[in-house]
Amino acid sequence: MASTLATNQDDQLAVRGKPKLGFLILLVFAVASANGAQLSNAILTLSLKSSVISSTAATTVLSIAVGVGSIFALVGYPLLGRLSDRTLSRFGRRKPYLLAGAVLLLAGAAATLAASSVTALAAGYALTTLGAVCALVACTALVPDQVAPEFRGPASAMLGLGAPLGAVLGIFLAQLVQPNLAAMLFLPAGVAALALLLLAARISDRAISREERPSFSLAEFAGTFWVNPLRHQGFGWAWISRLLIFFGVAAVNAYQAFYLIMVHHMDPATVGTAILVASLITTPISMIFAPLFGKLSDKTGRRKPFVLGAAVVFAIGLGLVAMATTYPMFLIAIAVVGLGQGVYFAVDYALIMEVLPDQDNPAKDLGIMNLASSLPSSLVPAVAPMLLLIGASAENPQNFTALFLAGAACAVIGALAILPIKKVK
């Protein structure tokens, strides 16, 4: 048994090298398309479906559906991460979750389309969320599984770019077929399913033996949803930082469609095109700067300055969004947001992977860390109605300025939260 374990460890170290270009391309396609299926739903199609269910209370319907979906993400990321680390499938630890993600994203699209009530809509979005969680749990774990620490900058950029690139991809596909809601739901989900199947077919995902399988007890099950921030202070500070920064991301993503319709008087039937234009500004900027700063971070061996600077730029962009009085001003502001996102996403995951408590079984801890980016999607809809009512009037029934400024403030505080991390420069 000892010789078997040694061989398995040698095999594992052998794949932890410099990532090949093909791996990076398939990885970013899978992450982007999975994010695209969920984000096109959260940003666009869920808002449109909410308006169909209740034209007078669409924002409330949206908040409930997104909130329920986020609860599934809250439980799903660490739990599915733990299960992935312990999976004994002959196909490996990550492939089964790529396949499950493909199936659940398609099921979520079908359930959302058929929904005729708030409860049914929330169930549909929950399925979509679980599909994205399965896909992203597997994709994020593939990086520490297969990439050596000194080469994780570009791979981290690919993971980080998944959200903004996914928003562009998902919204682009959805608006191509607007106003056909069925096609707007199924086209992004179908592309995501294809990307996940391609990644599953092409990667080498080493199966673990029963001897290597992480132990599992009642106490360890409780630990699925918890990492002691006193024992692992770097992980704790990174988690808090990410949570606060993604408050700003969630504020823009969840309410962008309503903002453009109510403030800039966009036609609900074509608001997807307006969102696509904004995404086509932010995403290329992010795609240009993320790989550059990812490589620069690897060369310098430093992560903190990049995360700190990026979060501050991102907060400035949100402040400009809050002050935009015209759509062109909004586009300029969103370009600044894209610059901040590009640098942040370049090194965010690389920093996180250096503070993981268990480097050999990363999916569970990465699942907990992913909660820091998904939890704001639940918390923002809970507090957004109060912020939107600040100073509300007949002429200005929704105060989006207050919402975006609150997100900017959270991003600044989140940037400062990485300073106490001692393990990372």
Side-chain angles (χ1 to χ4, degrees):
M1 184 175 68
S3 60
T4 301
L5 284 173
T7 301
N8 287 334
Q9 288 170 356
D10 289 343
D11 290 343
Q12 187 177 28
L13 291 172
V15 299
R16 285 185 179 173
K18 187 175 183 179
K20 295 181 180 179
L21 179 60
F23 171 76
L24 294 177
I25 291 173
L26 286 174
L27 181 67
V28 73
F29 182 35
V31 174
S33 61
N35 273 299
Q38 183 182 29
L39 289 174
S40 65
N41 196 350
I43 295 173
L44 179 58
T45 50
L46 205 60
S47 298
L48 298 176
K49 187 67 177 182
S50 297
S51 297
V52 171
I53 292 174
S54 176
S55 59
T56 58
T59 56
T60 301
V61 173
L62 175 69
S63 295
I64 293 172
V66 172
V68 171
S70 298
I71 292 172
F72 278 80
L74 177 68
V75 176
Y77 272 117
L79 182 58
L80 291 172
R82 169 78 80 174
L83 292 174
S84 178
D85 283 338
R86 304 187 76 252
T87 296
L88 295 177
S89 165
R90 65 188 181 90
F91 300 107
R93 292 195 291 179
R94 316 305 178 194
K95 283 186 180 182
Y97 297 88
L98 295 173
L99 301 178
V103 173
L104 287 169
L105 286 171
L106 292 171
T112 299
L113 179 64
S116 59
S117 66
V118 178
T119 301
L121 186 65
Y125 188 62
L127 286 174
T128 296
T129 299
L130 283 176
V133 168
C134 282
L136 297 176
V137 159
C139 289
T140 53
L142 283 172
V143 174
D145 279 355
Q146 304 202 18
V147 182
E150 63 270 23
F151 298 119
R152 287 177 183 168
S156 172
M158 296 303 102
L159 292 175
L161 281 173
L165 184 57
V168 170
L169 177 62
I171 293 169
F172 171 74
L173 293 172
Q175 64 87 39
L176 277 179
V177 290
Q178 65 183 1
N180 187 328
L181 188 58
M184 292 173 74
L185 286 164
F186 277 105
L187 186 55
V191 170
L194 175 62
L196 294 171
L197 292 175
L198 284 174
L199 181 62
R202 298 292 296 173
I203 60 169
S204 298
D205 184 15
R206 187 180 66 85
I208 60 169
S209 65
R210 291 189 178 275
E211 291 81 3
E212 295 174 281
R213 192 183 197 187
S215 60
F216 194 67
S217 64
L218 186 60
E220 286 165 329
F221 173 77
T224 296
F225 306 95
W226 168 256
V227 170
N228 190 330
L230 297 179
R231 287 186 58 193
H232 307 284
Q233 294 184 17
F235 185 92
W237 282 115
W239 193 92
I240 292 172
S241 173
R242 203 163 199 253
L243 177 78
L244 291 171
I245 290 170
F246 272 85
F247 263 98
V249 176
V252 174
N253 285 348
Y255 290 88
Q256 187 175 165
F258 289 129
Y259 168 74
L260 292 174
I261 292 169
M262 296 179 181
V263 176
H264 297 288
H265 310 294
M266 298 290 177
D267 185 347
T270 58
V271 70
T273 303
I275 294 175
L276 175 64
V277 171
S279 299
L280 287 174
I281 292 174
T282 57
T283 303
I285 292 173
S286 295
M287 291 183 68
I288 291 170
F289 285 99
L292 292 176
F293 280 93
K295 289 183 179 179
L296 183 59
S297 177
D298 281 346
K299 287 183 179 180
T300 61
R302 300 179 71 85
R303 313 294 188 193
K304 278 185 182 179
F306 297 98
V307 173
L308 185 64
V312 172
V313 172
F314 177 75
I316 292 172
L318 281 180
L320 294 174
V321 169
M323 294 184 288
T325 56
T326 65
Y327 181 62
M329 289 179 65
F330 166 75
L331 294 179
I332 294 172
I334 212 72
V336 179
V337 170
L339 175 60
Q341 282 186 342
V343 181
Y344 179 77
F345 290 145
V347 294
D348 174 44
Y349 274 106
L351 182 149
I352 288 168
M353 289 172 191
E354 291 187 34
V355 296
L356 291 177
D358 187 349
Q359 294 287 335
D360 292 325
N361 299 288
K364 187 270 289 185
D365 295 327
L366 283 171
I368 293 176
M369 185 59 72
N370 280 332
L371 290 179
S373 58
S374 63
L375 190 57
S377 298
S378 176
L379 297 178
V380 166
V383 300
M386 293 181 287
L387 293 170
L388 291 169
L389 286 175
I390 295 174
S393 64
E395 295 182 356
N396 183 27
Q398 304 282 343
N399 191 347
F400 288 97
T401 298
L403 176 63
F404 295 144
L405 286 178
C410 287
V412 171
I413 298 171
L416 297 175
I418 67 163
L419 295 178
I421 299 176
K422 297 179 180 179
K423 191 175 181 181
V424 180
K425 295 181 179 179

